[in-house]
Amino acid sequence: MATLAHHLKRVYWESTAGCNLRCIHCRRLDVLDKPDPHELTTAEAKELINQVATFGRPVFIFSGGEPLVRQDLFELAAHAKSKSLPIALATNGTLVDAAMARRIKEAGIYYASVSLDGSVAHTHDAFRGVGAFEKTLSGMRYMQEAGIKVQVNFTVTRMNLPQVPAVYELTRKNQAIALYLFLLVPVGCGVQIADDQMLSSAEVEEWLAWVVRRDHEGPLPLKAICAPQYYRVEHERTASGVQSPTSDFGPRTSVPTERKGCLAGLHMCFVTHKGDVYPCGYLPLSAGNIRNQSLRDIWEESSLFQKLRDPSLLTGRCGACDFTEVCGGCRARGYHAYGHVLAEEPYCLYEPRRKETRPA
């Protein structure tokens, strides 16, 4: 198989490890009450932004931790704006009032995501702390009133799976522009709850079928994230006559070949608060550090990224799968389950028709 194209489209920057919440499914274990003294300085962060701008106009996402606890955030956002980068913010929303929302907008941030983990306060607050639900909804409204586009992110677990349809309706009611449903990845604090909260492969399959159906019915844009097998499920249901408005697979019998599933190291990367460059925020393997190398050198020359871009190197069922190139399996879950970045996706029911000779 040919190596996949790797145009950089999104850069997630963990601007700080500091956060005002202690979520039980956080991808970090070492969430801090205050910024890490070893995080990128203002000057280093501006240089990172300069380097991102050399790729054209990839979306630059301020992530965390909670990015709003970083004191120079708005200075950095303004710098990114001066470089003509589209700028987004991944926030828990609890620190956003009307004044903060105006500052976010004025700094050039056009898009924000907020995280909900339940359709009611009891469920959401069980993940994020008492009072978080109402504060998140308020923060969302303040940003919308300031003219910022807001999407809702929802991490799917056994605890909140029954509330997914209600969260869909809540997202519509609050006029968010999209709902992104994340399948839990066992990393950071997520490892500690994975045994109880990870869906089974059969539950994942059923949930993804619901996403395809609901997305087909509309009207709210809906996307399954960290669940690359969605594109196999979508193709199967499209072939059986259940078509999705987001599907562009062409003839119903053709197997798609454009990567739409796991994009880690292909079209996106994640830069930690200390400058390490990961394929994504859930795959804690460093391809290099921007304090030692340029982001372009890391992106283009890292052996880790080169491996991720070659679907012929995938092992186990992913290596034998008809949907290898469109899906790719979640590299982070494969790594967690088997200790190898090219291992098969452990939460997929699909059995390939051809046999794979390489071990999982």
Side-chain angles (χ1 to χ4, degrees), residues 93 95-102 105 134-148 150:
L95 299 178
V96 180
D97 56 16
M100 178 66 77
R102 287 193 296 271
K105 177 65 174 179
E134 294 300 334
K135 290 179 180 178
T136 296
L137 290 178
S138 293
M140 176 179 169
R141 287 191 290 269
Y142 284 128
M143 286 189 286
Q144 290 170 319
E145 289 168 0
I148 299 166
V150 181

Side-chain angles (χ1 to χ4, degrees), residues 47-70:
E47 177 56 25
L48 168 62
I49 291 167
N50 293 343
Q51 292 184 29
V52 172
T54 68
F55 288 87
R57 299 186 74 248
V59 180
F60 190 80
I61 301 104
F62 287 93
S63 180
E66 170 50 56
L68 291 177
V69 306
R70 180 158 176 141

Side-chain angles (χ1 to χ4, degrees), residues 227-301:
Q229 58 270 54
Y230 169 84
Y231 294 97
R232 186 258 307 161
V233 175
E234 183 189 40
H235 177 73
E236 291 172 336
R237 292 185 65 79
T238 300
S240 66
V242 181
Q243 297 198 47
S244 165
T246 61
S247 174
D248 56 359
F249 289 159
R252 291 184 183 180
T253 57
S254 64
V255 175
T257 57
E258 178 187 353
R259 177 61 66 84
K260 295 175 178 289
C262 184
L263 301 179
L266 275 73
H267 298 304
M268 59 165 284
C269 67
F270 180 92
V271 183
T272 74
H273 68 289
K274 294 181 181 180
D276 285 306
V277 181
Y278 293 169
C280 78
Y282 298 105
L283 185 53
L285 294 176
S286 179
N289 190 291
I290 63 164
R291 283 172 163 156
N292 305 318
Q293 296 173 267
S294 72
L295 180 63
R296 182 171 292 278
D297 284 348
I298 295 170
W299 180 254
E300 294 181 350
E301 299 176 9

Side-chain angles (χ1 to χ4, degrees), residues 112-135:
S113 64
V114 297
S115 297
L116 288 177
D117 294 302
S119 60
V120 294
H122 174 76
T123 307
H124 177 85
D125 292 356
F127 284 93
R128 295 181 178 265
V130 175
F133 183 74
E134 294 300 334
K135 290 179 180 178

Side-chain angles (χ1 to χ4, degrees), residues 34-273:
K34 56 184 179 180
D36 187 330
H38 302 294
E39 71 184 20
L40 296 183
T41 65
T42 301
E44 289 174 323
K46 286 184 177 180
E47 177 56 25
L48 168 62
I49 291 167
N50 293 343
Q51 292 184 29
V52 172
T54 68
F55 288 87
R57 299 186 74 248
V59 180
F60 190 80
I61 301 104
F62 287 93
S63 180
E66 170 50 56
L68 291 177
V69 306
R70 180 158 176 141
Q71 294 186 351
D72 60 357
L73 175 72
F74 296 111
E75 178 183 351
L76 296 175
H79 183 69
K81 180 181 179 181
S82 75
K83 297 297 178 180
S84 300
L85 291 175
I87 317 164
L89 176 73
T91 175
N92 60 47
T94 62
L95 299 178
V96 180
D97 56 16
M100 178 66 77
R102 287 193 296 271
R103 291 190 70 190
I104 294 170
K105 177 65 174 179
E106 290 166 0
I109 295 170
Y110 81 103
Y111 196 104
S113 64
V114 297
S115 297
L116 288 177
D117 294 302
S119 60
V120 294
H122 174 76
T123 307
H124 177 85
D125 292 356
F127 284 93
R128 295 181 178 265
V130 175
F133 183 74
E134 294 300 334
K135 290 179 180 178
T136 296
L137 290 178
S138 293
M140 176 179 169
R141 287 191 290 269
Y142 284 128
M143 286 189 286
Q144 290 170 319
E145 289 168 0
I148 299 166
K149 297 178 179 180
V150 181
Q151 79 176 38
V152 170
N153 293 344
F154 180 92
T155 299
V156 179
T157 66
R158 279 217 172 111
M159 184 190 303
N160 61 21
L161 178 62
Q163 295 182 24
V164 170
V167 167
Y168 180 92
E169 295 303 327
L170 180 65
T171 303
R172 284 186 59 192
K173 177 183 176 182
N174 283 274
Q175 300 181 322
I177 65 170
L179 173 61
Y180 280 24
L181 299 169
F182 288 71
L183 182 59
L184 178 67
V185 179
V187 66
C189 294
V191 173
Q192 300 172 348
I193 67 169
D195 288 345
D196 292 331
Q197 294 301 323
M198 271 302 303
L199 306 187
S200 68
S201 297
E203 289 170 325
V204 170
E205 198 83 359
E206 183 179 356
W207 164 63
L208 290 177
W210 179 89
V211 176
V212 172
R213 184 173 64 253
R214 180 72 269 191
D215 189 39
H216 167 69
E217 294 169 352
L220 179 70
L222 189 61
K223 194 167 186 179
I225 306 295
C226 298
Q229 58 270 54
Y230 169 84
Y231 294 97
R232 186 258 307 161
V233 175
E234 183 189 40
H235 177 73
E236 291 172 336
R237 292 185 65 79
T238 300
S240 66
V242 181
Q243 297 198 47
S244 165
T246 61
S247 174
D248 56 359
F249 289 159
R252 291 184 183 180
T253 57
S254 64
V255 175
T257 57
E258 178 187 353
R259 177 61 66 84
K260 295 175 178 289
C262 184
L263 301 179
L266 275 73
H267 298 304
M268 59 165 284
C269 67
F270 180 92
V271 183
T272 74
H273 68 289

